Amino acid sequence: MVMPTFVPRTEQARTRFLVPALIALTLVTYPASARQWSAVCSNLSGVRIDESGTESGFAPDSLRGASWAYSWNTDTKKATLTLPASHASDGRSHKQEGVVSVHRGGFFTIVSLLPGAVWTHAIYPETSRLLASQSTTRNGAMLSGRMLVGTCTISP
């Protein structure tokens, strides 16, 4: 059985005023209120993970000289990532389409699905940082992936 809680009337009045005020403050200061965003992220480095049997191997990983270009729209939830030709095996730039989400605290995630891989890109406008992770398989069912951080120039 739930016991009713007594709240003094003055406390109820404060709460009724405080909640709308906090919502309004959040909407005014929330950086994700812009619709169209773009970012260029570079200095990408981190770790690569490969599994062989029951052991996981961790190795330093970086994309020296590479810049990843992002654009996204918070209304349509659509995002595009452009990868440079200089780091592609075929010498051409590549585009990945993705879905963007806005999160409490003002950061964004972009998820892009590729054949055999999923990329999750978390972009933090306040600190101009990127955290990108790739989940994939190597040889069918073997765990493989990477996690990279980078520095971004972000424009709303």
Side-chain angles (χ1 to χ4, degrees):
M1 183 165 124
V2 177
M3 298 296 291
T5 306
F6 174 73
V7 179
R9 285 193 184 277
T10 56
E11 196 65 33
Q12 287 176 342
R14 272 191 228 135
T15 303
R16 265 185 268 167
F17 171 75
L18 184 60
V19 171
L22 287 174
I23 291 170
L25 180 63
T26 301
L27 291 174
V28 169
T29 61
Y30 196 48
S33 60
R35 291 185 178 113
Q36 188 65 42
W37 289 77
S38 64
V40 176
C41 301
S42 56
N43 302 319
L44 304 166
S45 64
V47 65
R48 177 179 290 278
I49 303 104
D50 284 305
E51 191 172 80
S52 56
T54 59
E55 295 293 317
S56 296
F58 299 88
D61 192 12
S62 67
L63 298 171
R64 297 196 190 283
S67 293
W68 290 355
Y70 297 87
S71 63
W72 66 95
N73 185 300
T74 56
D75 281 348
T76 65
K77 309 286 189 214
K78 293 183 180 181
T80 303
L81 162 63
T82 304
L83 304 168
S86 61
H87 285 77
S89 59
D90 62 2
R92 298 181 309 157
S93 65
H94 291 272
K95 290 189 181 220
Q96 293 178 12
E97 301 298 319
V99 178
V100 67
S101 298
V102 183
H103 301 277
R104 179 178 286 173
F107 75 98
F108 302 94
T109 55
I110 297 171
V111 176
S112 59
L113 304 175
L114 302 173
V118 176
W119 278 93
T120 304
H121 309 262
I123 299 173
Y124 300 84
E126 284 219 4
T127 59
S128 300
R129 298 289 282 163
L130 165 73
L131 174 62
S133 62
Q134 176 197 33
S135 301
T136 186
T137 60
R138 186 173 52 91
N139 299 331
M142 301 300 276
L143 175 146
S144 180
R146 62 200 315 189
M147 186 171 286
L148 303 167
V149 295
T151 306
C152 303
T153 302
I154 303 167
S155 304

